[in-house]
Every structure is written in C-alpha cells, then in structure tokens.
Amino acid sequence: TAKTITTTGYTLGGTGAGNYTLTQPTLAANITAKALTITGLTASSRVYDGTTSVSVSGSAALSGIISPDVVAIAGSPSFAFDTKDVGTAKTIVTTGYTLTGADAADYTISPTSLSANITAKALTVSGLTGTSRTYDGTTTASATGSASLVGIVSPDVVTLTGTPAYSFDTRDIGTAKTITTTGYTLGGTGAGNYTLTQPTLAANITAKALTVSGLTGTSRTFDGTTTASATGSASLVGIVSPDVVTIGGTPAYAFDTRDIGTAKTITTTGYTLGGTGAGNYTLTQPTLAANITAKALTITGLT
C-alpha cells in the first residue's frame, strides 16, 4: 500500500533553464494482489437431502500465475451449496484453500465458480390397499387405509393433501389389476423440496354373476325318474349396458328326487354365455320348482 514510485527522465529546457535544477517527483500507489482462479474441479448434482453437502471431484490447479513466480495451492478444502433447498445451477461455496510458495504473497484466490443442481426428492405414499370388487363395466376403483408420506427428511414439514381418485387399468375382470392414483398433492413449509410419486395399487375385478329369468318348472305325474322340464323363454338378468352377452347351450332339468312332492326343486344345467362381453360374467344356472303328483294305479284280475 502507498508504494513509492521513483520518477526519472524529466529535463529542463528554455532560456532560463541554466538557473535551475529539477527534482524528479516521488509518487505513491498500491499494487494489489492478483486473484488466481482454481480449475480442474467439477461438482456433482444430487437429490435433496436437507443438507448443503456437495461432492466435488477432480484435481485443483491454479490459473493466472505470472511466470516465473512460484505459487502452489494447499490447504484442506471444504465445499457446500449456498442453501439446502432445491435449485438449478446453485452456487457452491468453497473454503479452505490456501496459497504457498515463494511468491504466494503477491496473489489471492478467487472464489470458485462451481455450481450444481439439487433436485427434488420423490416421496411415496404408504398405508393404502386397493379394494377388489365385482365387474360393473367401469374402471372405477377405491382404496382403504390411511395414506401417509414416506421419505421426508427431518425436520421438514410436509403434509399429504388433495383429493385422490383411483382407477383400474381396464374395465375388464382380472387378478391383481393395476390401480392408478391421481389427485394427491404436497403441502407444508417444506413441500418445495419434494415431488410426490402417486401410489400404484392393485386389486381384483371379479366376474359378475348373471341370472336367468323367464322359465317356469313343469309339474308332472310320478314316473320313477328325476326328469324335469320347463316352459318359457330364457333371458339374462344383470347385463351391464352396452355389453353384448347372450344365453346359449343345451339346458337340462332334473328334480332333486324321483319321489312325489310339492314345489320340488328343479336343478338346471347346460346354459352357457356367449357374445363379446361374456368374459366379464359368470352364469348362475336357474333353480326352478314344480310338483310331482302321485301316479294313479288300477286294480286288475278281479271278476
């Protein structure tokens, strides 16, 4: 600071110069240290973890030394993001580097220009179970349980909000079918450092049972068999519009026993389902009823 500047070279001229001498001026000014930059380092981006820690790789080297000055880098460096929060091209503060060598006093170290990203941490939702149901022609789904967030870094305040909606991947029957969840959101003062992975659940859609209507069991006289019959036109009950399901097959009817009785159960077999929508249904064979009345016997052999 205020370093002496020696001046030479000024001279006097003119007709009266011989009567004078010249005192060269003495000035002063500063020579400030040259700032050297550090090269060779690369910072790594990472996911938010609630700290300012950062990983830096490479080999530090000095740029800007004036030859033949002897200056080297030394010290125990420490690196840290400027804040703990998510961001792009965030500044990394470097401390701990020092200069050594015979000419180190003529230099300083410029702040490093390192930067990297802190990306939001993904939180998941636990505590939910998909609910199985019977086929109804829609993808509507539901879940039971109490939703909670997994992965929050203490002491961050993050809450689960929103209005969730659940949907099966398709409307058709299946086992362990994927349920997609939408609508959950994050709240709380720490929410900005996180993203939310909506939960993916699973449950079953089971086939819907169709029943047969339009048939009436036919009463008959005892004949020693369980053979039965029915009248009417069979139709399906319970089809979800606009599914195409038809009734087919070759029905067979049988009384529960061969003996006489009133409103005896008739078991039906043989009806089948057809049509493009049949795969989402099962068929409950109809159970009918009718009477077997006593057979009248006649007496012969008498005169």
Side-chain angles (χ1 to χ4, degrees):
T1 304
K3 291 174 62 72
T4 299
I5 299 175
T6 302
T7 307
T8 57
Y10 278 119
T11 57
L12 297 177
T15 56
N19 292 316
Y20 297 89
T21 60
L22 178 62
T23 300
Q24 299 287 334
T26 299
L27 307 174
N30 305 330
I31 298 179
T32 55
K34 182 179 181 182
L36 302 180
T37 57
I38 298 174
T39 62
L41 299 177
T42 302
S44 298
S45 298
R46 64 163 175 81
V47 174
Y48 172 81
D49 66 2
T51 72
T52 58
S53 63
V54 64
S55 176
V56 175
S57 60
S59 180
L62 291 171
S63 176
I65 300 171
I66 298 173
S67 180
D69 288 354
V70 177
V71 185
I73 192 167
S76 299
S78 177
F79 307 94
F81 279 110
D82 53 351
T83 71
K84 71 181 186 69
D85 300 316
V86 301
T88 303
K90 289 175 63 70
T91 298
I92 294 172
V93 178
T94 305
T95 58
Y97 278 121
T98 58
L99 296 177
T100 186
D103 299 297
D106 288 327
Y107 296 88
T108 59
I109 300 176
S110 293
T112 58
S113 58
L114 295 175
S115 65
N117 306 329
I118 295 180
T119 55
K121 182 178 182 182
L123 301 181
T124 57
V125 178
S126 69
L128 297 176
T129 302
T131 304
S132 296
R133 64 164 174 81
T134 300
Y135 173 81
D136 66 1
T138 73
T139 59
T140 302
S142 61
T144 59
S146 180
S148 61
L149 290 170
V150 176
I152 300 171
V153 177
S154 179
D156 290 352
V157 177
V158 186
T159 57
L160 186 63
T161 60
T163 304
Y166 308 96
S167 179
F168 279 107
D169 52 352
T170 70
R171 64 196 286 273
D172 300 316
I173 68 172
T175 303
K177 291 173 61 71
T178 298
I179 297 175
T180 301
T181 306
T182 58
Y184 277 118
T185 58
L186 296 178
T189 56
N193 288 317
Y194 297 89
T195 58
L196 178 62
T197 300
Q198 301 284 336
T200 300
L201 308 174
N204 306 328
I205 295 181
T206 55
K208 181 178 183 182
L210 300 181
T211 58
V212 178
S213 69
L215 298 176
T216 303
T218 304
S219 297
R220 64 165 175 81
T221 301
F222 173 80
D223 66 1
T225 73
T226 58
T227 302
S229 62
T231 59
S233 179
S235 61
L236 293 170
V237 177
I239 300 171
V240 176
S241 179
D243 290 352
V244 176
V245 186
T246 58
I247 189 167
T250 304
Y253 308 96
F255 281 107
D256 52 351
T257 70
R258 63 194 287 276
D259 301 316
I260 69 170
T262 302
K264 290 175 62 69
T265 298
I266 298 176
T267 302
T268 307
T269 58
Y271 278 118
T272 58
L273 296 178
T276 56
N280 288 317
Y281 297 88
T282 59
L283 179 62
T284 301
Q285 299 286 335
T287 300
L288 308 174
N291 305 328
I292 297 180
T293 57
K295 182 177 181 180
L297 300 180
T298 58
I299 298 174
T300 64
L302 298 177
T303 302

